[in-house]
Amino acid sequence: MAISLRKMRELVGYSRVSPDEPRHATVTPFRGRRVRTPELELEHLSVTLDASLGVLFARMKHTQRACYTQALMQDMRTLQNHLVELYAGLGAEEIPFRYLAWCSDAPRAWSLGGDLCTFTNMIR
């Protein structure tokens, strides 16, 4: 799932009136028990950390066919809130991963992460 910087700022409640104003974000509380790991097991999303690679894998668990549903989007939002709660205000060196990889557990589902240029070049 690709997202623009502007949309990401909207998701985390980021707003800056002027360049001189300090940065701030509004954190939405995570509903559930408080844990100190980014890993989650939700109904439609399984999140695991591979610390050796520095990658957080978010695997979409499709119950029927590989497509976005309202429930899957809610689980994605839960993950976003969880990560903001865990890492808001921390430096990059304090976060145990550098990359977030969205994957699908659906058989025969293949995605290049929304990079349309790469996708069309591979077809040609």
Side-chain angles (χ1 to χ4, degrees):
M1 181 170 89
I3 187 168
S4 70
L5 182 57
R6 189 177 90 224
K7 286 292 182 190
M8 179 60 80
R9 287 178 174 160
E10 289 174 14
L11 285 173
V12 297
Y14 176 88
S15 65
R16 249 171 96 182
V17 177
S18 72
D20 301 317
E21 185 179 327
R23 297 177 183 198
H24 63 280
T26 303
V27 177
T28 305
F30 174 71
R31 292 183 187 97
R33 61 185 177 90
R34 188 170 176 89
V35 293
R36 301 309 313 165
T37 177
E39 296 183 334
L40 289 175
E41 192 62 42
L42 303 169
E43 184 178 354
H44 302 280
L45 197 63
S46 177
V47 183
T48 57
L49 173 66
D50 186 329
S52 65
L53 293 176
V55 178
L56 186 65
F57 290 96
R59 296 189 181 282
M60 296 173 272
K61 302 185 293 186
H62 304 284
T63 55
Q64 295 174 3
R65 62 188 184 106
C67 65
Y68 287 99
T69 63
Q70 182 80 22
L72 175 59
M73 297 301 284
Q74 288 171 343
D75 281 358
M76 290 175 163
R77 181 66 177 157
T78 297
L79 171 61
Q80 290 172 337
N81 289 337
H82 178 64
L83 295 176
V84 168
E85 180 184 333
L86 288 176
Y87 303 117
L90 296 181
E93 67 282 350
E94 299 175 87
I95 299 174
F97 60 94
R98 183 170 176 172
Y99 304 100
L100 173 59
W102 293 94
C103 314
S104 175
D105 277 346
R108 297 185 298 256
W110 185 66
S111 172
L112 291 175
D115 186 348
L116 187 56
C117 183
T118 300
F119 184 73
T120 55
N121 285 338
M122 293 189 78
I123 290 173
R124 292 179 187 154

